[in-house]
Every structure is written in structure tokens, then in C-alpha cells.
Amino acid sequence: MSGQPPRWYPSTNFHSSQKGGRSLVEAELEASVAWLIGLRWLAGIGVLIVTWSVNAIFKFRISPFPLYLIGAVILLYNIIFYFTEQRFKQTSISVKGYIGLAQWQVGLDWLAMVLLFHYSGGIESPAILFFIFHIIIASIFFKPRTAYGFTIAAILLVWGTVWLEFWGILPHRPIVGFIQEPLYKNIWYVLATLFFFGATGLISAFLATSINQRLRQREEEVMELTESLQRATDRLQALNDGARTISSTLDLTQVLNRLVKNTAEAIQVDACSIRMVDATGQILEEMAAYGLSQVYLNKGPLELEKNPLAREVLSGKVVNIPDTTQTNLLQYPSEAAEEGISSMLSAPLIGKNGPMGILRAYSRETDRFSDDDGTFLSAIAAQGSIAIENALAYQAIETLDATKSQFVRMVTHELRSPVSVMRSLLRTITAGYAGGLNDQQSDILNRAQKRVDALQGLIDDLLDLAAGKVELKSHGEAEAINLEDVIVQVMERFEVIAKEKEITFEWYNQSPGVLISTKATKEGLDRIFNNLVSNAIKYTLPKGKVIVSLERIGDEAYTIIEDTGIGISMEAQSQLFQEFYRAPNAKEIEREGTGLGLAIVKDIVTHIGGRISVKSKLGKGSQFTVILPVLKE
Amino acid sequence: MDKKLILLVDDDPDVRLSLRLPLEATGYAISEAANPKEGLTAIKNSKPDLIILDVMMDSATAGFQFALDLHSEDPKSELKEYKEIPILMLTAIHGTTPLRFSPDQDYLPVQKFLEKPVEPEVLIASVKELLGE
């Protein structure tokens, strides 16, 4: 039993935050009822013990039977209350149920108290004082009106008993030997005692209820404060979570969609939207919406000129419209009414260059939004603005990159056609289809042709690089490709050249019998291994070694192309995959070369979702490792 | 034996020249057309044994359209007597068109593709292959 009496009040606006599935009020009521039941065991036992001791120890004469009966009845109905309370605990009983239970308890207690009072001598009974703490208990537990009701009932019952005994209608049951001269017939004594009893009862009730009310008020304030603190914490959490989700992507559509959804959830409203000022600066475009019907979204353009609300928000203000039927700020009031929108709250999305748009929350309730909501929406909008600006910047960069690549593709293609024709024409001469040439002419044309060939190679590489960045789709759709097949094809292609240079040219599948396929385009994979094997053979001196191996490790395919070639200096290794970079010792071996081959390889590998690395020692050889994700069966 | 006749359809006269020289040197008769329309006239004038066709001419897919018309499976096609003439198509695989090229009977009735620039040896070998020589 706790030393502090718990309290309950059937308050109309009680705190409803759930703790373990029950409200605070219910929890308090339950505890109070249990507390009363606990006290009552003592009361019942107390009555039995005192009755026994009055007779046995103090040798006063008393008729003990009724008193024992009262004690027993108290214990008996307490047992019933105990089990009722246990049952209440298991089923979810409303606040009213608990109050009913409490009122029954207090009612029965007071009846028992009156009987005890009567059987222990009426006006002469020292038990009369016990009424005081009963009054205090009632004042603590109940609303003042109920407490006064019980107090007055107690006073009337005591008065009634005393007068009935006074007039001899009820028999007087004195504790014989306790008081020498009977007082119950002494009118002055009776009047005075009843007066002071009544006054004490009412004053006690007044004091207890007033103190209790003050405490209750304090507690309500604390509850309100707790609730608003909780709300503030929830919102901070929501803001934080929202910021993280929203910033986790750079895709503008995704940013906007997450922002509207998170905002609606954080403010706990039905709908939310984002509108952004278009390029003309006159129209607000619908960018993202959550919880709004298509009909409403298609209602028509939001024109700044006709929309005072939008103008006000874009001037940097948070605008709360508590009742959409009572404002002339809306451009489409009837559409809003049809959608069931009763109130709305709008905050500006402000970027570095001024207002970008509006973040708006909608509710079916009128007067839904508080000042707190305004501050909160404004905070979300500030965060959202940053995410939107980032996404916009990223979008701009992507567009720029695509435009640049497109430009490179166009230019290169325009370059390619004439070079291609020039090369074909030259070939007809050098191959002798256009008549004979003298040696010098032939030599000059051969040199010219070599240069044109190199130019052609450069242009083709540039095109590939640009294509990779614009749309890898132009290289065909990605599909499951068996890596072994691709490598075997590449190996066959270089067999003759390797043989001419007397290079040991071998390949090993370290995971025989295991299907190692990856999702890519055949051309892409061919390009990767063609370039790497071609380089290995090109930069390996005659009688050297080029070894290719394939192995599946976990969910990745490791292809290693190893040579005993000229090697790559540390400095060159760091720049190897950069566009147009060629290592100095590579230039010595082959003067013509675009420096784009490895850049393209890296580009394709990255697109497939893999990675490439190089290990090399100058003069010893190089090892390129291509790691590609394996397609799971 | 008469020389076999090859029709070159390409809008670039330099390309036609670079094709013509090695083919003539190999012993083929050549006729030329600068666009599909001229090509059709040339086919009707004297039926070639083989057509070498550029993909991109007036439009990015003019060559495709020409091949489709010529090899139409429609029995009412007015070009049905030329249905069996093999077509060698020249493509610029690095081109800006996003279409993928590969001979496909249903999609594109073309017998062979070559990527520009074409090596004379490769050109002659392909022509011989298509003519069944």
C-alpha cells in the first residue's frame, strides 16, 4: 500500500496519452480503487479487534454481536469489491465503471460507519471522529459536489440516529462503564455535539476539496506541459526523420513526394501539397500532392495574379486559413469546399534566390491549425527547401551533363562520316583498286591512311564514351550474359596476334562448372575484356606472358588479366582511367592511341555495377582486376 | 558470262566511289542511285543481282524503308518480282540512331550488315558470299 493516496477525477478533458494501452485517468482510478480496498481490510479487522478488546481488556460492557457483524460485513463486501476490481482489471472498463465502483465503496463504508456509530453508543461514541477521515477521503477522490453530497449525507445520518435515540425510537446502545452519566438524553450536549460535528464535517470537506482542487489544477498544468513537451519532441523527431528521408535522394520527384507525405504525417492531417512557381513566375505548378483527389488537383492553374493567398505566402509568410468558407483569399473556393477542405495552412518554400513555391497542409476540420503548427510547417518547409534546391541543382547538373554528351555525340558523328569516307577512299588507292602508284606516292598515302585510321579510332572511342553517359541503352538492353563465353570469344580473337609475338596466352576458369553470369550488354562486356586483353598483348614484349583468369567469389566475379609487359609507373596508375591519359612508356610502344580505352572500360564497368583496379610494377608487368556483380539464379 | 550487276544506293557520291572502285576491279558491273527513289527507277530499268544500301539517306531510316518495301511479303506488292534480290546494308553503328541493327527476317529483310567504314576486302568477300560465289 502506498503512503500517498492516489487520486482520480472524472475530468472532461483528461489526458489521453496511452501508457501501456491505458489512459492515465484509468490507471489512477484503478490504483485508487485498489488502495481503498487495501485500507478496508484494516478497517474491518480493526473493528473486530477493538470490539474484542473493549470487552476482554477494558471490561466495558457492550453487546458485541452487532459490532462483530459490522466488521464481518465490511470484510465480506470488501471481498466482493476485491474480485470485482480484479475482473475490471482484466477487461477494459470505462472510467465511469470505476467511478461507480468507488461510489459504492464509499456509500457502503458510510453505512457501516453509521451502524458502528449507533452500536457503539451513538452520541456518546468516540467513533464519531472517524467520520472526519471518511469525509477527507471522499473529498480527495470525488468532485467537490459529490464530496459535499457525501458529507451532508453523513451529517444527516448521524443527526437522524442521534435524534431517533433521543426520542427513544431507536434503542440506545451504550458502552457500559465508558461514560458514567448517559449523555444521549442531554439536549444541550446533543445539540452542541451535533452542531460541532456538522460544522467540522463541512469545514473538513471544504478544506480538503479546496486543497485537492488546487493540486488537481497543478496536475492538469503539468499534464498539459508534458503533453506539449511530448508533442514538441514528436515533431522534432518527425522533422529529423523527415529531413533524413528527404535528403536521402537527389531525385526531385522523390524529394517532393516524400516531403508531402512526411509533412501530412508529421502534422497529422489528411492532405498536403507542394506547388512551385514556374519559369514565367506567374503560375504555381502542382509538383506533388498527398491525400488530394485528382479532380481537385486538376481544378486549373494557380495564377498568382488571381490568387491572393499564394501571393501572401510567397511574400514569406505562413498563412493559416481556419475556415475556407470565410475567406476571400482562395482562387478556387468552391473546389476546395467540394474536396471537403475546411482549413489550410501554407508555408513558403524559400530558396537562395527567393521564394520557390508553397508547402500546404489541408484539413477537413475547421480551425485545425495552431500557431505551433505554423511554426512547425515553416520549419519543415525550410528543410524541404534545401532538399528541393539540392535536387534541382543535381537535376541541372545531370541535364548539363546529358546536353554536353549529346553535343559531343552530334559533333563526333558529324566528324565521323567524312573521316570514314576519306578512309574508304584512301583504302581503294592503297589497296590498288584505282591503279598503280610509285613507291613514294604509296608511302605517302600509307602514312596518310595511318593518321586517318587513328583519327577514326579516336572518334569511335569518343562516341562510345559519350554514348555511355547519355544512354547505355543504345548499346542494347542489358541481359544475363555468361562471362566465360565472352572471355573465350575475346581469347580466340587475340590468339593469332599472341602467337605471332610468341606470347604465352592462356586462360583459366578457377570456378569450373559454376555458371558466372552478370547483367550487362554483350557489347559492353566484350568491350571491357577486348580492351584489357588487347592492351596486355600490345604492351607485352615478344615471348612474354598474358594470363586471364575468372573466378567467382561470393556474389562477385573476379576476372584478372595479368601480363609480363612493360608495366605502369605509380604516377601513371593514378591517372590511368582518366580520359585521354596515356602512360609515357605506352606512348613509346605505340605512338597512336586515344587514351580513351581504359576510360571507356571503367565507364562500362561502373555502369554494370562493378569496379576495376590495377596493380603494376614498371618493367615487370601489370595486373588488371575486374569485379562484376554475379546475377543470382 | 555477263558481269553481275550491283546497285549502290547511297546519297554520298564519295561513298559510292569508294565502293565502286574495288567492286569494278573485282569484275562486277555497277549502277548507282543517290536515293531510294532513284534506286527504284534503276531496279526497274535493269534488275540488279545485289543491292548495297545505306541506312541513312534522306531520313535516318530511309534505307530501312526501302528494304522493307522491296522485300515486302505482301503478294500484291508491285515490287514482288524484286523480292529475291539480296541486300547488303551499310550501317554506322556508332551513329546517333538508337536502333539496333541485326538481320532479322521478320523485322528487316536484309541479308547482311556491314559497318562503315568498310574494308575493301571485307566488302568483296561479303558481296561474293551474297551472290553465292
Side-chain angles (χ1 to χ4, degrees):
Chain A
M1 211 184 323
S2 128
Q4 276 283 356
R7 275 163 288 144
W8 81 77
Y9 347 95
S11 160
T12 47
N13 57 339
F14 58 84
H15 182 76
S16 66
S17 94
Q18 298 289 303
K19 269 194 181 162
R22 288 177 308 139
S23 78
L24 218 62
V25 170
E26 279 171 64
E28 265 197 25
L29 270 175
E30 210 183 287
S32 309
V33 167
W35 179 70
L36 264 186
I37 292 171
L39 278 182
R40 197 170 296 106
W41 298 122
L42 293 185
I45 293 165
V47 169
L48 296 180
I49 291 174
V50 170
T51 304
W52 173 79
S53 60
V54 164
N55 269 332
I57 299 171
F58 299 103
K59 309 291 180 193
F60 297 134
R61 269 183 299 117
I62 192 171
S63 40
F65 177 70
L67 291 173
Y68 280 134
L69 192 67
I70 291 167
V73 166
I74 289 175
L75 290 175
L76 188 73
Y77 72 69
N78 202 38
I79 290 173
I80 297 171
F81 282 133
Y82 176 77
F83 284 109
T84 313
E85 195 261 338
Q86 292 296 314
R87 218 192 51 221
F88 273 25
K89 236 193 257 180
Q90 279 151 19
T91 50
S92 57
I93 290 295
S94 68
V95 176
K96 265 191 174 167
Y98 274 104
I99 293 171
L101 187 62
Q103 286 175 345
W104 267 102
Q105 289 188 72
V106 173
L108 285 175
D109 283 349
W110 290 29
L111 208 61
M113 192 56 224
V114 171
L115 289 173
L116 193 71
F117 167 71
H118 170 63
Y119 283 104
S120 59
I123 195 84
E124 297 158 3
S125 168
I128 192 169
L129 292 174
F130 274 25
F131 271 106
I132 303 304
F133 74 72
H134 276 82
I135 287 168
I136 292 173
I137 288 178
S139 306
I140 289 172
F141 286 160
F142 297 124
K143 273 179 168 177
R145 242 189 14 206
T146 321
Y148 281 120
F150 273 110
T151 308
I152 288 166
I155 291 169
L156 291 178
L157 282 169
V158 167
W159 283 10
T161 312
V162 169
W163 287 120
L164 288 176
E165 285 181 26
F166 182 82
W167 289 318
I169 300 170
L170 263 181
H172 179 58
R173 309 250 179 200
I175 309 171
V176 180
F178 179 61
I179 285 175
Q180 303 306 320
E181 301 226 1
L183 289 166
Y184 77 104
K185 290 269 185 195
N186 181 334
I187 181 80
W188 293 114
Y189 178 79
V190 168
L191 277 176
T193 306
L194 288 185
F195 168 76
F196 280 102
F197 173 72
T200 309
L202 286 172
I203 290 168
S204 302
F206 167 74
L207 289 177
T209 50
S210 336
I211 290 171
N212 192 34
Q213 250 183 328
R214 238 181 290 164
L215 284 174
R216 186 182 308 180
Q217 206 176 351
R218 203 84 44 85
E219 189 159 356
E220 259 163 22
E221 280 168 15
V222 169
M223 275 185 183
E224 244 166 60
L225 199 66
T226 312
E227 206 169 288
S228 83
L229 269 176
Q230 184 62 41
R231 210 166 40 229
T233 314
D234 288 351
R235 293 195 153 181
L236 272 177
Q237 188 64 39
L239 203 61
N240 189 26
D241 288 352
R244 215 163 345 139
T245 349
I246 293 161
S247 316
S248 66
T249 175
L250 278 172
D251 181 87
L252 183 63
T253 320
Q254 272 189 30
V255 166
L256 296 171
N257 284 334
R258 287 179 191 182
L259 189 58
V260 284
K261 187 164 180 281
N262 284 354
T263 307
E265 284 171 359
I267 306 196
Q268 294 171 338
V269 287
D270 312 308
C272 182
S273 76
I274 291 177
R275 292 196 171 77
M276 291 182 70
V277 184
D278 75 347
T280 66
Q282 294 307 310
I283 306 277
L284 277 164
E285 278 185 285
E286 183 69 50
M287 298 299 284
Y290 177 80
L292 291 170
S293 76
Q294 208 52 47
V295 177
Y296 183 71
L297 294 176
N298 292 343
K299 62 188 179 297
L302 281 191
E303 294 165 63
L304 276 186
E305 211 169 293
K306 297 181 190 162
N307 197 317
L309 172 60
R311 285 203 301 274
E312 205 173 323
V313 177
L314 287 178
S315 74
K317 284 185 208 145
V318 175
V319 181
N320 183 7
I321 301 217
D323 187 348
T324 50
T325 59
Q326 302 297 317
T327 180
N328 51 8
L329 290 174
L330 301 184
Q331 191 187 342
Y332 297 98
S334 56
E335 284 82 354
E338 265 169 49
E339 183 77 3
I341 297 168
S342 299
S343 58
M344 49 171 86
L345 184 66
S346 317
L349 293 162
I350 299 171
K352 276 194 222 71
N353 302 322
M356 300 188 291
I358 296 175
L359 176 65
R360 181 170 293 165
Y362 306 82
S363 176
R364 295 182 196 287
E365 295 166 44
T366 47
D367 208 6
R368 164 66 181 74
F369 300 105
S370 63
D371 287 353
D372 271 2
D373 289 323
T375 316
F376 186 45
L377 189 71
S378 179
I380 298 176
Q383 269 185 348
S385 302
I386 296 170
I388 291 172
E389 279 212 312
N390 286 344
L392 281 172
Y394 185 71
Q395 207 178 42
I397 290 170
E398 275 200 320
T399 314
L400 199 68
D401 197 42
T403 313
K404 187 200 81 185
S405 298
Q406 184 67 28
F407 173 75
V408 171
R409 262 153 63 80
M410 286 307 293
V411 169
T412 321
H413 187 258
E414 291 310 306
L415 281 173
R416 189 176 191 275
S417 299
V419 171
S420 161
V421 175
M422 187 154 69
R423 188 166 174 272
S424 294
L425 287 171
L426 277 172
R427 282 289 286 149
T428 60
I429 302 174
T430 54
Y433 296 115
L437 295 169
N438 68 31
D439 286 352
Q440 195 182 9
Q441 286 169 334
S442 176
D443 180 47
I444 292 168
L445 283 177
N446 271 324
R447 283 164 187 270
Q449 181 166 344
K450 251 195 176 162
R451 285 309 185 93
V452 174
D453 284 352
L455 187 57
Q456 179 92 51
L458 172 67
I459 293 168
D460 286 354
D461 282 355
L462 272 175
L463 260 175
D464 279 339
L465 212 57
K469 282 183 179 160
V470 178
E471 40 178 344
L472 209 72
K473 279 198 190 98
S474 69
H475 282 245
E477 285 291 334
E479 52 185 327
I481 309 241
N482 186 347
L483 272 177
E484 181 168 359
D485 291 350
V486 178
I487 294 171
V488 166
Q489 260 182 28
V490 171
M491 295 301 289
E492 281 169 1
R493 197 174 304 149
F494 288 97
E495 230 159 49
V496 180
I497 307 170
K499 211 169 181 183
E500 278 172 8
K501 283 182 85 173
E502 291 180 61
I503 288 173
T504 311
F505 186 46
E506 285 163 359
W507 109 268
Y508 301 97
N509 187 346
Q510 311 278 20
S511 308
V514 180
L515 176 70
I516 306 178
S517 55
T518 192
K519 196 168 159 64
T521 65
K522 197 155 193 163
E523 288 85 348
L525 287 178
D526 190 274
R527 189 88 195 224
I528 295 170
F529 298 118
N530 191 80
N531 272 20
L532 293 175
V533 171
S534 156
N535 280 351
I537 290 181
K538 198 182 292 170
Y539 300 115
T540 297
L541 300 175
K543 296 189 171 150
K545 256 191 203 173
V546 173
I547 310 290
V548 179
S549 70
L550 172 67
E551 187 177 4
R552 179 173 172 163
I553 301 173
D555 287 333
E556 290 178 322
Y558 283 68
T559 312
I560 298 173
I561 296 102
E562 199 173 359
D563 64 51
T564 57
I566 56 172
I568 307 158
S569 69
M570 283 306 282
E571 193 200 345
Q573 280 179 37
S574 62
Q575 300 177 66
L576 204 58
F577 296 103
Q578 279 175 23
E579 294 164 19
F580 297 108
Y581 178 80
R582 294 199 71 212
N585 57 340
K587 279 187 195 160
E588 278 168 29
I589 298 257
E590 194 181 64
R591 214 160 61 81
E592 316 294 350
T594 61
L596 288 173
L598 286 176
I600 292 169
V601 166
K602 182 161 187 180
D603 199 39
I604 303 172
V605 169
T606 312
H607 260 287
I608 298 174
R611 49 197 198 277
I612 182 168
S613 61
V614 61
K615 268 198 286 189
S616 183
K617 215 167 188 187
L618 210 55
K620 295 276 183 197
S622 309
Q623 185 186 29
F624 285 84
T625 307
V626 179
I627 302 165
L628 299 175
V630 170
L631 206 63
K632 284 168 213 156
E633 295 86 45
Chain B
M1 201 182 95
D2 274 350
K3 284 180 175 178
K4 290 209 168 150
L5 179 63
I6 298 172
L7 173 64
L8 307 176
V9 187
D10 195 315
D11 56 352
D12 186 334
D14 292 345
V15 171
R16 294 203 301 272
L17 178 63
S18 72
L19 296 170
R20 172 185 209 114
L21 289 173
L23 289 173
E24 276 184 344
T26 316
Y28 294 108
I30 303 295
S31 65
E32 291 180 23
N35 53 52
K37 205 177 152 203
E38 275 185 28
L40 222 51
T41 315
I43 291 170
K44 284 175 183 167
N45 281 344
S46 55
K47 187 178 164 185
D49 298 288
L50 174 77
I51 300 168
I52 297 178
L53 185 63
D54 185 26
V55 168
M56 281 172 79
M57 283 179 285
D58 302 340
S59 74
T61 54
F64 282 132
Q65 197 51 52
F66 182 73
L68 278 172
D69 290 347
L70 205 64
H71 282 180
S72 167
E73 293 292 337
D74 184 359
K76 282 179 223 150
S77 167
E78 53 177 295
L79 300 170
K80 62 173 181 270
E81 58 175 303
Y82 310 113
K83 206 166 92 85
E84 302 307 325
I85 303 174
I87 295 177
L88 171 61
M89 187 164 268
L90 300 180
T91 65
I93 199 164
H94 289 90
T96 44
T97 160
L99 286 169
R100 284 293 298 151
F101 311 129
S102 71
D104 178 338
Q105 201 53 44
D106 294 332
Y107 172 55
L108 193 62
V110 165
Q111 277 61 48
K112 197 172 173 72
F113 283 94
L114 282 182
E115 189 186 335
K116 289 203 246 184
V118 185
E119 296 294 330
E121 298 80 4
V122 176
L123 174 70
I124 291 161
S126 303
V127 166
K128 281 188 172 162
E129 179 198 329
L130 290 181
L131 290 174
E133 291 171 359

